[in-house]
Amino acid sequence: MPKFKRGEKFQSDEERAEEARFSEKRANLLIQIRDLRVGSVTPNDTKCRISRMKEENNRMVDDHMKTMTTIRYGHRVDPRSRLPIELFTEIIAYSTSDPLGWFGWCVDKLLSLTLVSNQWRDAILSTPHLWKDIILNEKTEDLQRKLSVALYLSGVTPIELHIHCSLPVWEEVEPLILPHRTRVNSLTMRMSFMNPRNTSIFPVILQRLGHLPQLRSFQCDLWYSEENAVTGVNSFLLEHPHIKAVSGVLLTKDILSSPVRDGLRSCRTTLEPQTILKELEMAPNLEEVTFMADHFSLQSRDQYHTEPDVIHLPKAPLKWKNYSQFGKVSPNILDSLSTTVTTLSLHICMCDFWSLCSMLGNFSAMESFEMTLKIGGEHKFTSPPISSPSPCKTVRRLTLRFETEPSWALPNPLEYSRDWSFTYSDIIHQMFESIDTLTLSSHYDLPVQWHLIDGDGFQKLEKLTVSVSQQNSKLTESLQLPSTLESIYVYGDDVDLSNLSSKSVEKLNIATFGVSKSPTNKIDLMAWPNIDHLSLPAYKLKLDWPHSQFHKLDSVHLTDISSITWDYSTQFCRDLALYPDAMPHLWSLSLSRSPEWDILFILLERYNFRTSIDSERISCLSIGDAPLDILEPLQSLCAGKFTERPSNYELSWVGNTDIIFDHSLPGCLRCHKLLLFCRHTTLPAGHSLYDRAYAALTQFDIWEAENNSIGISRMFGEEPDEDLDMYVPKYPDNTQDILLEWEYRERAWEELHQLGRLKSCRGAGRNRVFITDKLCERTSGIPF
């Protein structure tokens, strides 16, 4: 049993005492209700007594929530009346800032905070610097209105302009921006969300902005840059020599020879390091340097070899903190960075790796090392020339990427990478003996280097992240993970992790998605006994429910993929309802696919009204879209209160077959099963049935329709020839049978694909519902 229940370690002694008193009192009441139901002799009298006890339970829950609120906040006053206005506004600015650039969210958040009190309203509206961030992007709804509000409330304060939009969006807001360009103190340009590789608009927007007299900071992301974009941005910089900080631009020699160099904070360039090292060394504020190569391969590994008489040697240690380079690394640069650099990122070929090993041990300030290693081609690895490299004792975060070109067909990629791992894993363990965070990834034909984490080679490793692709997703041998490992995150294509196990891991996050309709390679949760947070595709979970008990597991997140028809989310809810003691302290449940509503309600009623004092209840629930009528009952159950709700039969698909069989109503099968309105299958008028069906389908839906035995001509509007009632099973009368016979109903549901409706639609799961014991929120977004 965990030492603390959810949130208990953050509670005061008074809060813990109140929580214990409430849990004991509520458990006794639930025991009385259970005994009355079991030993009932006079049903009418028993129903009245149970009804009164349920009302008492609900009052008890409400009183407890009020008492906890009073304990936490009752003796506190409005922070605005106690904090200086300067500190108060800084807190507001920090809480409403959004590094991702959602300008509409920031403005809406500030405006919502004005409703807290009159003091808050006056303080927020009269503080211009809270409104100084002007962010332009396509994602903001009603952009012009919100932009006008921010520009007006910012007064004459210098503004920070962030441009993340396309040219048409800029042209819409340009009349609002140009009158305030004399106030632009900081300018950030990033690629549009809608067209992330189109940087040709940068010089166009900069030309329309013209001269910005107060500009002191400039940042521009030019990863995928056309030549005219680089030229236009550099010309803009030359016209603003007074800039104090410049970041992220692709530098040219003209910039490095101009006064703009004094303001450089970070830079990226495709120039060779030896040709501009002298100029970079003279930049006093430079902290981050990235040398890029458009096309790096093993054949170009000698591209930086320069004649000795033109090599510039640094006169003093360079002060750069972050350094990234594609291609062969200059020893002169690394020696000069050994005492200052904290993050080093290199993209090299395997032939240069071992010469690098002898230099890495000299770095005394490096905390993070990232290396992309090219393997294959004409260059075969040999035995390492060094036996005991100097360890990098300061490195805590290590990222290793292994790549090979698609044209380099390795005869046996698995054997090749395995030989590499066995040959060099000991050396890597010795070099990076102090790391606590490791990231592994492989591309193309190279399997993931799993052998690097086999055993206790990394004796201090706590967090592991692995990226897999379809070609390297095999893990054929059992591995012994480090005993210090606490967290694992695996993402990418579907991967077989059934051979992985650990007794120390507490957080397991598997974000892989495959296309198989018959999923295998399940993860046996019994091999992870100390897990407290679990996130993985629902079809991968394997658990012996009657004989399992995970006392530490308190959070479960199950994802879903559309190609799998079996409802694994509902199956999990069914199993947990049958065996709630398998996860006695679960309080957070997140399902990317909404389960069947009758099973979900039964789960919450069984789990949240257990009579054990130490048991938790599911008070945080996140699911896909749900009908509005059932949100209030769901929230009451999450709060631990009894509530009136529709019957199990009314919530089941069996009780709604009359709607499903009505072909005059649009909708896919998944939406009908969840009692949701499906707008994506509404047919446009004026076309033949065949054309109307194709016009209503998305690309994924067309694939589903073409693989449907009924055919596209029967997708809409036609009644099936056979009697579909024969596929509808009888719905049980009691909850235990409802749970036990669920699989039978699920198999019957799959037979209804003969109905002629689409299995799923593009909008299924797009909305999310987040429910706690205190709030219920329904959001619209992209499914995950």
Side-chain angles (χ1 to χ4, degrees):
M1 184 178 298
K3 183 177 180 181
F4 294 107
K5 294 174 65 177
R6 175 177 62 97
E8 193 172 279
K9 61 182 177 180
F10 304 109
Q11 293 178 344
S12 64
D13 293 340
E14 188 177 1
E15 288 175 310
R16 293 180 188 176
E18 167 61 23
E19 191 72 41
R21 184 199 64 80
F22 166 74
S23 299
E24 182 179 2
K25 187 176 180 181
R26 183 171 181 267
N28 293 331
L29 182 62
L30 293 177
I31 291 175
Q32 296 179 29
I33 295 177
R34 181 198 61 188
D35 294 341
L36 283 175
R37 287 174 172 171
V38 174
S40 173
V41 179
T42 55
N44 293 331
D45 181 58
T46 300
K47 288 182 179 180
C48 294
R49 293 180 62 186
I50 291 178
S51 178
R52 289 195 296 269
M53 288 182 177
K54 287 182 177 180
E55 293 177 359
E56 182 180 352
N57 172 84
N58 294 351
R59 287 195 299 269
M60 189 184 304
V61 172
D62 292 335
D63 293 342
H64 170 67
M65 295 176 64
K66 293 178 181 178
T67 303
M68 294 293 289
T69 302
T70 302
I71 295 175
R72 292 172 181 171
Y73 310 109
H75 305 294
R76 303 176 188 178
V77 296
D78 188 347
R80 172 62 198 94
S81 61
R82 302 185 62 181
L83 293 176
I85 184 64
E86 296 81 7
L87 181 57
F88 174 79
T89 54
E90 285 301 320
I91 295 174
I92 296 297
Y94 178 80
S95 63
T96 57
S97 62
D98 187 1
L100 296 179
W102 302 112
F103 177 64
W105 182 88
C106 298
V107 173
D108 290 340
K109 190 68 174 179
L110 282 171
L111 292 176
S112 65
L113 291 178
T114 61
L115 303 177
V116 174
S117 67
N118 290 333
Q119 286 185 323
W120 282 51
R121 179 180 181 277
D122 295 339
I124 293 174
L125 296 182
S126 61
T127 307
H129 82 267
L130 291 176
W131 308 87
K132 62 181 176 60
D133 290 318
I134 308 298
I135 306 173
L136 310 179
N137 57 49
E138 289 93 344
K139 297 292 184 178
T140 302
E141 298 180 359
D142 204 0
L143 176 60
Q144 296 188 35
R145 181 182 64 84
K146 295 175 181 177
L147 180 60
S148 300
V149 171
L151 290 173
Y152 173 76
L153 293 176
S154 62
V156 295
T157 302
I159 60 176
E160 298 181 6
L161 181 60
H162 304 259
I163 301 176
H164 310 166
C165 62
S166 60
L167 191 58
V169 175
W170 166 260
E171 291 175 345
E172 293 179 3
V173 300
E174 183 179 356
L176 298 174
I177 294 292
L178 291 184
H180 299 273
R181 62 184 175 185
T182 56
R183 294 199 288 138
V184 177
N185 178 266
S186 174
L187 177 61
T188 300
M189 303 190 72
R190 294 177 181 171
M191 289 164 284
S192 168
F193 290 106
M194 308 303 294
N195 192 358
R197 297 201 174 197
N198 182 18
T199 59
S200 60
I201 66 170
F202 286 0
V204 178
I205 295 178
L206 291 175
Q207 184 179 7
R208 295 187 181 182
L209 275 174
H211 184 66
L212 306 177
Q214 292 194 33
L215 187 63
R216 295 296 181 269
S217 176
F218 179 77
Q219 178 178 348
C220 186
D221 292 340
L222 289 173
W223 283 103
Y224 309 100
S225 301
E226 302 175 1
E227 184 177 354
N228 64 337
V230 177
T231 303
V233 171
N234 282 274
S235 299
F236 175 82
L237 290 176
L238 293 175
E239 296 173 359
H240 295 78
H242 53 276
I243 296 180
K244 298 300 182 182
V246 182
S247 303
V249 296
L250 280 174
L251 294 180
T252 62
K253 286 189 175 182
D254 294 338
I255 294 295
L256 293 174
S257 303
S258 69
V260 177
R261 178 183 61 195
D262 297 337
L264 284 177
R265 296 288 181 86
S266 69
C267 69
R268 295 193 294 268
T269 180
T270 55
L271 300 174
E272 296 183 4
Q274 296 292 356
T275 62
I276 61 171
L277 183 57
K278 182 178 180 179
E279 289 77 7
L280 292 177
E281 188 181 3
M282 298 175 62
N285 298 316
L286 191 59
E287 296 181 352
E288 182 178 351
V289 180
T290 301
F291 289 103
M292 301 174 59
D294 293 334
H295 301 284
F296 171 72
S297 63
L298 297 181
Q299 287 74 15
S300 63
R301 69 186 193 281
D302 296 326
Q303 61 178 329
Y304 294 142
H305 285 182
T306 315
E307 295 298 328
D309 56 346
V310 299
I311 291 180
H312 173 79
L313 299 178
K315 299 178 181 179
L318 298 172
K319 298 181 180 180
W320 307 342
K321 294 182 179 180
N322 298 337
Y323 182 77
S324 304
Q325 181 174 336
F326 287 69
K328 189 171 182 64
V329 183
S330 169
N332 301 327
I333 297 179
L334 291 185
D335 289 342
S336 301
L337 294 172
S338 60
T339 59
T340 57
V341 72
T342 59
T343 301
L344 180 63
S345 178
L346 302 177
H347 191 130
I348 62 176
C349 71
M350 59 179 298
C351 299
D352 298 324
F353 175 64
W354 305 118
S355 61
L356 177 67
C357 293
S358 59
M359 294 182 287
L360 291 179
N362 299 325
F363 284 78
S364 59
M366 184 166 59
E367 300 177 357
S368 177
F369 178 60
E370 302 176 7
M371 182 183 68
T372 301
L373 190 64
K374 289 277 189 176
I375 299 178
E378 301 176 356
H379 309 281
K380 306 297 182 181
F381 66 83
T382 57
S383 298
I386 54 177
S387 57
S388 56
S390 300
C392 305
K393 296 183 179 181
T394 59
V395 175
R396 295 292 181 266
R397 297 177 297 277
L398 175 63
T399 300
L400 297 177
R401 302 183 183 93
F402 300 89
E403 293 184 356
T404 182
E405 296 292 345
S407 58
W408 298 338
L410 299 175
N412 192 332
L414 181 61
E415 181 179 353
Y416 187 93
S417 62
R418 182 184 302 165
D419 293 343
W420 191 96
S421 296
F422 283 127
T423 304
Y424 301 124
S425 59
D426 290 341
I427 293 180
I428 293 179
H429 292 158
Q430 294 175 23
M431 291 178 57
F432 305 103
E433 59 183 16
S434 300
I435 66 168
D436 56 33
T437 302
L438 174 64
T439 301
L440 291 176
S441 66
S442 295
H443 301 282
Y444 300 119
D445 293 332
L446 289 177
V448 174
Q449 310 297 317
W450 293 103
H451 296 284
L452 289 174
I453 55 174
D454 189 10
D456 286 325
F458 296 115
Q459 298 182 3
K460 298 182 180 180
L461 186 62
E462 297 178 357
K463 299 179 181 179
L464 173 65
T465 301
V466 180
S467 171
V468 296
S469 61
Q470 189 173 359
Q471 293 90 340
N472 57 51
S473 58
K474 293 182 179 180
L475 176 58
T476 57
E477 300 178 0
S478 299
L479 297 181
Q480 180 182 356
L481 295 174
S483 58
T484 58
L485 195 60
E486 298 178 356
S487 173
I488 296 181
Y489 175 46
V490 182
Y491 67 97
D493 291 318
D494 198 10
V495 58
D496 180 5
L497 297 176
S498 57
N499 290 325
L500 278 183
S501 62
S502 173
K503 295 182 179 180
S504 62
V505 171
E506 298 177 353
K507 291 178 174 55
L508 180 62
N509 188 347
I510 309 298
T512 57
F513 297 91
V515 295
S516 173
K517 292 192 176 184
S518 300
T520 56
N521 307 325
K522 294 178 178 292
I523 296 177
D524 188 357
L525 208 58
M526 300 296 291
W528 309 81
N530 289 317
I531 201 80
D532 62 25
H533 172 82
L534 177 66
S535 177
L536 80 168
Y539 63 87
K540 280 186 170 293
L541 181 61
K542 178 183 177 182
L543 189 60
D544 184 9
W545 285 92
H547 305 95
S548 302
Q549 198 166 41
F550 293 87
H551 285 289
K552 294 185 177 182
L553 187 60
D554 58 17
S555 176
V556 173
H557 171 59
L558 300 181
T559 56
D560 179 42
I561 57 176
S562 56
S563 61
I564 296 201
T565 57
W566 189 265
D567 195 346
Y568 287 94
S569 296
T570 302
Q571 180 176 336
F572 174 84
C573 294
R574 188 279 308 263
D575 293 337
L576 184 58
L578 288 173
Y579 308 102
D581 291 334
M583 302 177 183
H585 296 100
L586 184 67
W587 64 269
S588 177
L589 177 60
S590 177
L591 304 172
S592 65
R593 176 176 178 175
S594 295
E596 296 181 32
W597 303 125
D598 53 341
I599 302 297
L600 179 61
F601 273 94
I602 294 174
L603 165 64
L604 293 177
E605 290 173 342
R606 285 195 167 195
Y607 196 91
N608 288 1
F609 296 100
R610 289 173 295 160
T611 57
S612 174
I613 298 177
D614 296 329
S615 61
E616 272 281 4
R617 69 173 186 272
I618 300 176
S619 58
C620 181
L621 178 66
S622 178
I623 55 178
D625 205 357
L628 296 179
D629 293 341
I630 69 172
L631 296 185
E632 185 175 350
L634 285 176
Q635 185 181 2
S636 297
L637 293 176
C638 288
K641 297 192 293 185
F642 293 97
T643 182
E644 296 291 333
R645 67 170 181 90
S647 66
N648 292 326
Y649 178 77
E650 293 172 330
L651 292 171
S652 68
W653 68 265
V654 177
N656 292 275
T657 52
D658 55 337
I659 300 177
I660 300 175
F661 293 166
D662 188 351
H663 279 248
S664 64
L665 299 176
C668 67
L669 282 174
R670 178 174 293 189
C671 290
H672 273 287
K673 189 178 184 181
L674 299 177
L675 311 182
L676 297 172
F677 170 71
C678 184
R679 60 186 177 184
H680 292 274
T681 55
T682 302
L683 300 180
H687 299 276
S688 65
L689 177 64
Y690 187 88
D691 293 337
R692 285 188 292 159
Y694 260 86
L697 299 180
T698 63
Q699 184 176 1
F700 170 76
D701 296 332
I702 291 176
W703 181 87
E704 288 283 347
E706 291 175 345
N707 287 272
N708 191 299
S709 60
I710 301 298
I712 189 65
S713 62
R714 294 181 58 189
M715 292 305 294
F716 297 97
E718 295 186 9
E719 295 289 344
D721 298 332
E722 51 189 326
D723 183 13
L724 291 173
D725 289 335
M726 61 182 296
Y727 294 108
V728 180
K730 181 180 178 181
Y731 196 77
D733 295 329
N734 61 79
T735 56
Q736 186 71 7
D737 290 339
I738 292 175
L739 297 176
L740 293 175
E741 298 179 12
W742 172 81
E743 291 185 356
Y744 171 69
R745 294 195 303 277
E746 180 66 12
R747 287 191 293 268
W749 173 260
E750 290 187 333
E751 296 294 332
L752 290 183
H753 290 168
Q754 301 183 47
L755 176 64
R757 294 186 184 272
L758 291 179
K759 297 178 183 178
S760 179
C761 66
R762 190 175 183 181
R766 181 169 295 273
N767 295 326
R768 299 289 303 170
V769 175
F770 180 73
I771 302 173
T772 69
D773 51 359
K774 298 180 178 64
L775 62 89
C776 178
E777 183 179 10
R778 186 170 182 263
T779 61
S780 177
I782 299 175
F784 61 93

